[in-house]
Amino acid sequence: MKKRKIKRNNKLIYLFGLLLIILGLFLLFRDFYDEKEQEQLEKDSIEEYYDNVEIKESEITYENKSIETQKKTTSKKTKKIDYVAVLKIPKINLTKGLVSKDNPLNNVKYGIEILANSSMPDKEKTNLIVASHSGTASISYFDKLDKLKINDNVFVDYKNKTYTYNIVNIYDVIKNGKVNLIYNKNKNNLILITCRRNTNKQIVIICELEEIK
């Protein structure tokens, strides 16, 4: 009788362990699938942003081309994020769309947030201030921001123009809900903010507009 009970218990333990393994594999696969789906959505949304810019430009001079381009873009999937600009930081291999300030997705919980007191780069002597998480989560778009150095370039594509910025200052501030910004008020600035991992500090990167194309 004891041997039968032991065998039965061993089988139950084996089945329970097998179920845990299957559950773990399922969760891993689901996370991997969700991450790949998010990456594809991001890629499609950025492509849609550039397609829309192309349509607006072609409407001015090439009416027929505009119609053809519009047909092409409307045939794609409609589930995309409505980006108004694209942030590019080649040194850390980052290309990420930005939504408007009044968009519900304009929050660090979802991506890169344009802070409330920001202006877009076509305004004179103003600041475009953006923030995002650092860390290992899928939304930690500024995880490698600490790799940037003075004189590195950062780009913003907005309204069919590319704004090239040059990093002029990098400093840390204590994380207390407020950030002291040190910048040249006579310049157009792009300011990047994120947390420094495993500390109570935030990294602030000041970029000055260098060129518009």
mmCIF file of all heavy atoms in Angstrom, residues 10-30:
data_model
loop_
_atom_site.group_PDB
_atom_site.id
_atom_site.type_symbol
_atom_site.label_atom_id
_atom_site.label_comp_id
_atom_site.label_asym_id
_atom_site.label_seq_id
_atom_site.Cartn_x
_atom_site.Cartn_y
_atom_site.Cartn_z
ATOM 1 N N ASN A 10 4.406 10.423 -6.518
ATOM 2 C CA ASN A 10 5.445 10.771 -7.495
ATOM 3 C C ASN A 10 4.843 11.186 -8.830
ATOM 4 O O ASN A 10 5.322 12.113 -9.478
ATOM 5 C CB ASN A 10 6.403 9.593 -7.696
ATOM 6 C CG ASN A 10 7.320 9.396 -6.502
ATOM 7 O OD1 ASN A 10 7.501 10.315 -5.702
ATOM 8 N ND2 ASN A 10 7.885 8.211 -6.369
ATOM 9 N N LYS A 11 3.793 10.480 -9.235
ATOM 10 C CA LYS A 11 3.113 10.829 -10.486
ATOM 11 C C LYS A 11 2.476 12.214 -10.402
ATOM 12 O O LYS A 11 2.544 13.003 -11.341
ATOM 13 C CB LYS A 11 2.035 9.783 -10.815
ATOM 14 C CG LYS A 11 2.587 8.475 -11.339
ATOM 15 C CD LYS A 11 1.460 7.520 -11.683
ATOM 16 C CE LYS A 11 2.006 6.210 -12.232
ATOM 17 N NZ LYS A 11 0.919 5.236 -12.546
ATOM 18 N N LEU A 12 1.851 12.496 -9.238
ATOM 19 C CA LEU A 12 1.227 13.813 -9.051
ATOM 20 C C LEU A 12 2.271 14.919 -9.077
ATOM 21 O O LEU A 12 2.051 15.985 -9.683
ATOM 22 C CB LEU A 12 0.460 13.850 -7.719
ATOM 23 C CG LEU A 12 -0.830 13.022 -7.670
ATOM 24 C CD1 LEU A 12 -1.397 13.001 -6.253
ATOM 25 C CD2 LEU A 12 -1.876 13.590 -8.652
ATOM 26 N N ILE A 13 3.399 14.673 -8.418
ATOM 27 C CA ILE A 13 4.484 15.653 -8.410
ATOM 28 C C ILE A 13 5.012 15.862 -9.828
ATOM 29 O O ILE A 13 5.266 16.993 -10.266
ATOM 30 C CB ILE A 13 5.621 15.206 -7.466
ATOM 31 C CG1 ILE A 13 5.132 15.251 -6.012
ATOM 32 C CG2 ILE A 13 6.857 16.081 -7.645
ATOM 33 C CD1 ILE A 13 6.091 14.587 -5.034
ATOM 34 N N TYR A 14 5.165 14.756 -10.567
ATOM 35 C CA TYR A 14 5.654 14.825 -11.951
ATOM 36 C C TYR A 14 4.684 15.629 -12.827
ATOM 37 O O TYR A 14 5.098 16.501 -13.594
ATOM 38 C CB TYR A 14 5.829 13.410 -12.499
ATOM 39 C CG TYR A 14 6.149 13.370 -13.969
ATOM 40 C CD1 TYR A 14 7.433 13.647 -14.426
ATOM 41 C CD2 TYR A 14 5.155 13.059 -14.906
ATOM 42 C CE1 TYR A 14 7.731 13.617 -15.775
ATOM 43 C CE2 TYR A 14 5.433 13.030 -16.252
ATOM 44 C CZ TYR A 14 6.720 13.306 -16.693
ATOM 45 O OH TYR A 14 6.998 13.272 -18.024
ATOM 46 N N LEU A 15 3.385 15.327 -12.688
ATOM 47 C CA LEU A 15 2.380 16.039 -13.486
ATOM 48 C C LEU A 15 2.332 17.518 -13.132
ATOM 49 O O LEU A 15 2.207 18.382 -14.008
ATOM 50 C CB LEU A 15 1.003 15.400 -13.273
ATOM 51 C CG LEU A 15 0.789 14.022 -13.901
ATOM 52 C CD1 LEU A 15 -0.549 13.426 -13.461
ATOM 53 C CD2 LEU A 15 0.838 14.125 -15.428
ATOM 54 N N PHE A 16 2.441 17.806 -11.830
ATOM 55 C CA PHE A 16 2.425 19.205 -11.383
ATOM 56 C C PHE A 16 3.639 19.949 -11.939
ATOM 57 O O PHE A 16 3.524 21.085 -12.412
ATOM 58 C CB PHE A 16 2.427 19.256 -9.855
ATOM 59 C CG PHE A 16 2.362 20.649 -9.305
ATOM 60 C CD1 PHE A 16 1.199 21.410 -9.413
ATOM 61 C CD2 PHE A 16 3.468 21.201 -8.680
ATOM 62 C CE1 PHE A 16 1.142 22.695 -8.905
ATOM 63 C CE2 PHE A 16 3.419 22.487 -8.170
ATOM 64 C CZ PHE A 16 2.249 23.233 -8.283
ATOM 65 N N GLY A 17 4.808 19.305 -11.878
ATOM 66 C CA GLY A 17 6.026 19.920 -12.419
ATOM 67 C C GLY A 17 5.920 20.152 -13.919
ATOM 68 O O GLY A 17 6.335 21.191 -14.433
ATOM 69 N N LEU A 18 5.333 19.169 -14.633
ATOM 70 C CA LEU A 18 5.155 19.280 -16.079
ATOM 71 C C LEU A 18 4.222 20.436 -16.419
ATOM 72 O O LEU A 18 4.475 21.209 -17.357
ATOM 73 C CB LEU A 18 4.597 17.967 -16.633
ATOM 74 C CG LEU A 18 4.478 17.857 -18.157
ATOM 75 C CD1 LEU A 18 5.851 18.002 -18.823
ATOM 76 C CD2 LEU A 18 3.834 16.530 -18.543
ATOM 77 N N LEU A 19 3.155 20.576 -15.633
ATOM 78 C CA LEU A 19 2.218 21.684 -15.850
ATOM 79 C C LEU A 19 2.890 23.042 -15.634
ATOM 80 O O LEU A 19 2.645 23.998 -16.375
ATOM 81 C CB LEU A 19 1.012 21.548 -14.909
ATOM 82 C CG LEU A 19 -0.017 20.474 -15.285
ATOM 83 C CD1 LEU A 19 -1.040 20.314 -14.175
ATOM 84 C CD2 LEU A 19 -0.725 20.832 -16.599
ATOM 85 N N LEU A 20 3.745 23.119 -14.611
ATOM 86 C CA LEU A 20 4.470 24.364 -14.348
ATOM 87 C C LEU A 20 5.405 24.710 -15.502
ATOM 88 O O LEU A 20 5.525 25.871 -15.898
ATOM 89 C CB LEU A 20 5.278 24.247 -13.045
ATOM 90 C CG LEU A 20 4.474 24.309 -11.739
ATOM 91 C CD1 LEU A 20 5.403 24.109 -10.544
ATOM 92 C CD2 LEU A 20 3.754 25.653 -11.608
ATOM 93 N N ILE A 21 6.076 23.701 -16.044
ATOM 94 C CA ILE A 21 6.982 23.914 -17.192
ATOM 95 C C ILE A 21 6.195 24.415 -18.402
ATOM 96 O O ILE A 21 6.587 25.362 -19.078
ATOM 97 C CB ILE A 21 7.754 22.627 -17.525
ATOM 98 C CG1 ILE A 21 8.737 22.297 -16.398
ATOM 99 C CG2 ILE A 21 8.491 22.767 -18.850
ATOM 100 C CD1 ILE A 21 9.389 20.932 -16.523
ATOM 101 N N ILE A 22 5.056 23.753 -18.682
ATOM 102 C CA ILE A 22 4.220 24.154 -19.819
ATOM 103 C C ILE A 22 3.708 25.578 -19.641
ATOM 104 O O ILE A 22 3.721 26.384 -20.575
ATOM 105 C CB ILE A 22 3.041 23.170 -19.993
ATOM 106 C CG1 ILE A 22 3.564 21.788 -20.423
ATOM 107 C CG2 ILE A 22 2.034 23.695 -21.006
ATOM 108 C CD1 ILE A 22 2.519 20.700 -20.398
ATOM 109 N N LEU A 23 3.282 25.899 -18.401
ATOM 110 C CA LEU A 23 2.795 27.244 -18.116
ATOM 111 C C LEU A 23 3.903 28.277 -18.309
ATOM 112 O O LEU A 23 3.684 29.352 -18.887
ATOM 113 C CB LEU A 23 2.257 27.313 -16.689
ATOM 114 C CG LEU A 23 1.721 28.683 -16.216
ATOM 115 C CD1 LEU A 23 0.548 29.129 -17.093
ATOM 116 C CD2 LEU A 23 1.308 28.626 -14.759
ATOM 117 N N GLY A 24 5.112 27.938 -17.828
ATOM 118 C CA GLY A 24 6.250 28.848 -17.976
ATOM 119 C C GLY A 24 6.590 29.096 -19.430
ATOM 120 O O GLY A 24 6.842 30.233 -19.845
ATOM 121 N N LEU A 25 6.583 28.007 -20.230
ATOM 122 C CA LEU A 25 6.865 28.138 -21.656
ATOM 123 C C LEU A 25 5.806 28.972 -22.361
ATOM 124 O O LEU A 25 6.106 29.782 -23.239
ATOM 125 C CB LEU A 25 6.961 26.752 -22.302
ATOM 126 C CG LEU A 25 8.179 25.916 -21.921
ATOM 127 C CD1 LEU A 25 8.054 24.499 -22.480
ATOM 128 C CD2 LEU A 25 9.459 26.576 -22.451
ATOM 129 N N PHE A 26 4.557 28.779 -21.954
ATOM 130 C CA PHE A 26 3.460 29.558 -22.546
ATOM 131 C C PHE A 26 3.620 31.048 -22.259
ATOM 132 O O PHE A 26 3.452 31.882 -23.151
ATOM 133 C CB PHE A 26 2.120 29.060 -21.994
ATOM 134 C CG PHE A 26 0.952 29.949 -22.356
ATOM 135 C CD1 PHE A 26 0.415 29.930 -23.633
ATOM 136 C CD2 PHE A 26 0.426 30.817 -21.407
ATOM 137 C CE1 PHE A 26 -0.653 30.760 -23.971
ATOM 138 C CE2 PHE A 26 -0.634 31.648 -21.729
ATOM 139 C CZ PHE A 26 -1.173 31.625 -23.016
ATOM 140 N N LEU A 27 3.969 31.371 -20.998
ATOM 141 C CA LEU A 27 4.142 32.777 -20.624
ATOM 142 C C LEU A 27 5.320 33.405 -21.359
ATOM 143 O O LEU A 27 5.248 34.558 -21.808
ATOM 144 C CB LEU A 27 4.335 32.903 -19.114
ATOM 145 C CG LEU A 27 3.103 32.570 -18.261
ATOM 146 C CD1 LEU A 27 3.467 32.571 -16.778
ATOM 147 C CD2 LEU A 27 1.964 33.552 -18.534
ATOM 148 N N LEU A 28 6.409 32.638 -21.504
ATOM 149 C CA LEU A 28 7.565 33.128 -22.241
ATOM 150 C C LEU A 28 7.215 33.389 -23.704
ATOM 151 O O LEU A 28 7.586 34.411 -24.283
ATOM 152 C CB LEU A 28 8.731 32.125 -22.154
ATOM 153 C CG LEU A 28 9.504 32.102 -20.841
ATOM 154 C CD1 LEU A 28 10.492 30.942 -20.852
ATOM 155 C CD2 LEU A 28 10.257 33.422 -20.650
ATOM 156 N N PHE A 29 6.494 32.446 -24.307
ATOM 157 C CA PHE A 29 6.102 32.589 -25.707
ATOM 158 C C PHE A 29 5.170 33.778 -25.882
ATOM 159 O O PHE A 29 5.290 34.543 -26.840
ATOM 160 C CB PHE A 29 5.417 31.305 -26.189
ATOM 161 C CG PHE A 29 4.889 31.407 -27.598
ATOM 162 C CD1 PHE A 29 5.746 31.295 -28.682
ATOM 163 C CD2 PHE A 29 3.535 31.639 -27.841
ATOM 164 C CE1 PHE A 29 5.269 31.403 -29.976
ATOM 165 C CE2 PHE A 29 3.053 31.745 -29.125
ATOM 166 C CZ PHE A 29 3.919 31.622 -30.203
ATOM 167 N N ARG A 30 4.242 33.953 -24.920
ATOM 168 C CA ARG A 30 3.292 35.066 -25.019
ATOM 169 C C ARG A 30 4.009 36.405 -24.923
ATOM 170 O O ARG A 30 3.727 37.332 -25.698
ATOM 171 C CB ARG A 30 2.252 34.970 -23.911
ATOM 172 C CG ARG A 30 1.107 35.975 -24.069
ATOM 173 C CD ARG A 30 0.173 35.957 -22.891
ATOM 174 N NE ARG A 30 0.846 36.428 -21.673
ATOM 175 C CZ ARG A 30 0.243 36.538 -20.500
ATOM 176 N NH1 ARG A 30 -1.014 36.188 -20.351
ATOM 177 N NH2 ARG A 30 0.917 36.976 -19.448
#
